[in-house]
Amino acid sequence: MFDFLDSGQYDLLGAFWVTAKLALYSAIGSLIWGTALVAMRVSPVPLMRAFGTAYVNIVRNTPLTVVIVACLLGLNQTLLITLGGQRSEDIGFRLAVLGLIAYTGTFVCEALRSGINTVPPGQAEAARALGMSFTQVLTLVVLPQAFRAAVTPLANVLIALTKNTTVAAAIGAAEAAFLMKEMIENEADALFAVFAVFAFGFIALTLPTGLILGWAAKRLAVKR
Amino acid sequence: MSGESVSKSAPGGPEDTPRAADDLVVLTGVNKHFGALHVLQDIDLTISRGEVVVVIGPSGSGKSTLCRTINRLESIDSGSISIDGKPLPAEGKELARLRSDVGMVFQSFNLFAHKTVLENVMLGQIKVRRTEKKAAEAKARALLDRVGVGTQADKYPAQLSGGQQQRVAIARALAMGPKVMLFDEPTSALDPEMINEVLEVMQQLARDGMTMVVVTHEMGFARSAANRVVFMADGRIVEQATPEEFFSNPRSDRAKDFLSKILHH
């Protein structure tokens, strides 16, 4: 039933390696972008607050497929942006990372914002009373506590992101879902086996993530 | 220190308050509204260097708000506040610099929950004052010893009792070398048996010549440590006097009424 795995025709590990890389780069990028967005959303500057709010509400309510395809059609094919990629697979991969960061950053932002809401206002007040600037209050006192409170929702975002990488197949990034489509066509008689293999692959990626971060959430929790 | 402490009183026997030329905190015509509520009405208040001013009054009288306007944790609608001759800026770096010279102690302690006691006392020194880490740690440890929690330096705030946390908060404020210390009901969230350990630290500070503004319900502290009692009601300063005068012979009916409720029951 799983004979197709032995044929040497498919690079299953390679495809999942691309998926893992997509998820990792996008996770790092969206963590940074999400932090920047949340800083805007809580900043005292009205223009930045307005931008943060508008961006989050527009992008998180746009289907990911639309965001990813817009990256290819809009950025690459219209504006000829390649992000330094040569082969079409590379370009697809890089554009997919960009699209995933743009999209996932909004969820990171909102997870962090819920984390910020768990930090008592007195913490920021005490920091301001010491003479800290807005940036110092945020980076030294509020965000470190917000991150610790947001580990669990951030784990959810990371798991969703890992599975969302499958959308990158739509613009030709050679990740797991891309290979799955190919295998479904060639191995139609083992359809359920193909599904099972890929489902297992994703569980192998996301289950440890959830368990490790669940443990981390408990360890890092701020005692009040 | 000697020039600054001329107006200091011996503990237990406050003298008359000299309104010296050396004014440190000056509030002139300060007004503030919370929506329709006029919480501060034409407040004029001058605090001299080295003076200990205790603000008392019924809840909702605006005394906490007054305390918080002095380092602009609350903005004001009109009037002016100056500290050591400099008007309080509305925002930005200038405001941060001024705040670093004004120590603040809160009712709910507000120690940074993710940092150890030692780190709490070092953070402002390192990040705001740009002090060397070693020097900051030495100063932090000395201050923690001074307030009697030196042995707790490596614990987290949640592992300490309320009284210990509040003493750490005082050390954290002192670490900045403030010109004036604001205390916003520092003992109101404490269990009764912990109130004294905090008041003793404050008494010591007062004896050392620190300029202090203390919002409190501790009449014993007002009697023994204050140079001046400011009585507030309904957003106004109703009466100011030395503690002796105020407690034995209040002039306004509002103050008489307040004192009769808290002193005899």
Side-chain angles (χ1 to χ4, degrees), chain A residues 125 129, chain B residues 25 27 30 32 34 39-40 43 45 47 53-56 61-76 81-83 88 95 99 102-107 180-186 202 211-216 230 232 235 237:
Chain A
E125 260 177 15
Chain B
V25 180
L27 290 84
V30 169
K32 176 170 181 67
F34 281 132
V39 276
L40 295 179
I43 302 286
L45 182 65
I47 295 150
V53 173
V54 168
V55 184
I56 61 175
S61 59
K63 52 194 195 305
S64 271
T65 310
L66 176 74
C67 187
R68 291 161 58 85
T69 56
I70 296 177
N71 66 357
R72 216 170 191 289
L73 284 179
E74 297 285 353
S75 60
I76 55 175
I81 300 176
S82 69
I83 292 171
L88 199 58
L95 176 62
R99 273 182 180 149
V102 179
M104 177 113 190
V105 176
F106 300 86
Q107 181 177 347
V180 51
M181 289 277 287
L182 309 174
F183 293 84
D184 185 6
E185 303 204 22
M202 290 168 62
T211 312
M212 293 161 66
V213 178
V214 185
V215 174
T216 188
V230 171
M232 283 187 76
I237 294 181

Side-chain angles (χ1 to χ4, degrees), chain A residues 12-27 93 97 100 161-169 173-179 198 201-202 205-206:
Chain A
L12 200 63
L13 281 181
F16 269 107
W17 176 237
V18 174
T19 294
K21 277 197 293 184
L22 257 180
L24 182 69
Y25 295 155
S26 307
F93 180 86
V97 169
L100 283 166
L161 166 68
T162 309
K163 296 187 292 182
N164 281 344
T165 56
T166 50
V167 176
E175 47 71 72
F178 194 78
L179 180 65
F198 283 93
F202 275 96
L205 281 176
T206 54

Side-chain angles (χ1 to χ4, degrees), chain A residues 2-12 179 182-183 187:
Chain A
F2 290 97
D3 304 340
F4 57 88
L5 290 177
D6 301 326
S7 67
Q9 191 183 345
Y10 308 108
D11 184 10
L12 200 63
L179 180 65
E182 195 185 320
M183 285 168 75
E187 313 288 341

Side-chain angles (χ1 to χ4, degrees), chain A:
Chain A
M1 197 176 171
F2 290 97
D3 304 340
F4 57 88
L5 290 177
D6 301 326
S7 67
Q9 191 183 345
Y10 308 108
D11 184 10
L12 200 63
L13 281 181
F16 269 107
W17 176 237
V18 174
T19 294
K21 277 197 293 184
L22 257 180
L24 182 69
Y25 295 155
S26 307
I28 293 168
S30 49
L31 212 56
I32 295 168
W33 180 223
T35 308
L37 280 172
V38 82
M40 289 184 218
R41 289 206 76 170
V42 300
S43 98
V45 184
L47 192 70
M48 291 177 95
R49 270 208 309 276
F51 172 81
T53 309
Y55 178 92
V56 166
N57 280 304
I58 292 168
V59 176
R60 81 169 161 183
N61 291 309
T62 309
L64 178 60
T65 314
V66 175
V67 175
I68 297 280
V69 172
C71 280
L72 182 73
L73 298 183
L75 292 180
N76 181 243
Q77 295 181 359
T78 310
L79 298 171
L80 303 177
I81 293 169
T82 63
L83 299 175
Q86 302 296 329
R87 297 176 302 146
S88 73
E89 281 163 42
D90 287 343
I91 296 172
F93 180 86
R94 289 168 194 220
L95 286 169
V97 169
L98 182 71
L100 283 166
I101 290 173
Y103 180 80
T104 313
T106 63
F107 294 93
V108 170
C109 168
E110 293 303 275
L112 284 178
R113 211 156 62 93
S114 75
I116 285 178
N117 288 337
T118 69
V119 181
Q123 296 282 311
E125 260 177 15
R128 279 192 286 154
L130 286 177
M132 290 187 195
S133 65
F134 170 77
T135 317
Q136 286 178 320
V137 174
L138 197 65
T139 56
L140 297 173
V141 175
V142 176
L143 278 181
Q145 296 186 50
F147 266 107
R148 288 155 188 248
V151 173
T152 305
L154 283 175
N156 278 337
V157 172
L158 184 58
I159 288 170
L161 166 68
T162 309
K163 296 187 292 182
N164 281 344
T165 56
T166 50
V167 176
I171 62 171
E175 47 71 72
F178 194 78
L179 180 65
M180 184 174 79
K181 255 198 280 183
E182 195 185 320
M183 285 168 75
I184 288 171
E185 279 181 29
N186 300 345
E187 313 288 341
D189 53 334
L191 197 57
F192 287 102
V194 171
F195 285 149
V197 163
F198 283 93
F200 176 78
F202 275 96
I203 288 171
L205 281 176
T206 54
L207 201 63
T209 311
L211 292 176
I212 290 167
L213 288 178
W215 170 80
K218 265 188 221 140
R219 287 248 9 210
L220 292 172
V222 179
K223 287 166 198 73
R224 298 197 191 277

Side-chain angles (χ1 to χ4, degrees), chain B residues 49 57 74 160:
Chain B
R49 208 179 291 277
E74 297 285 353
L160 267 56

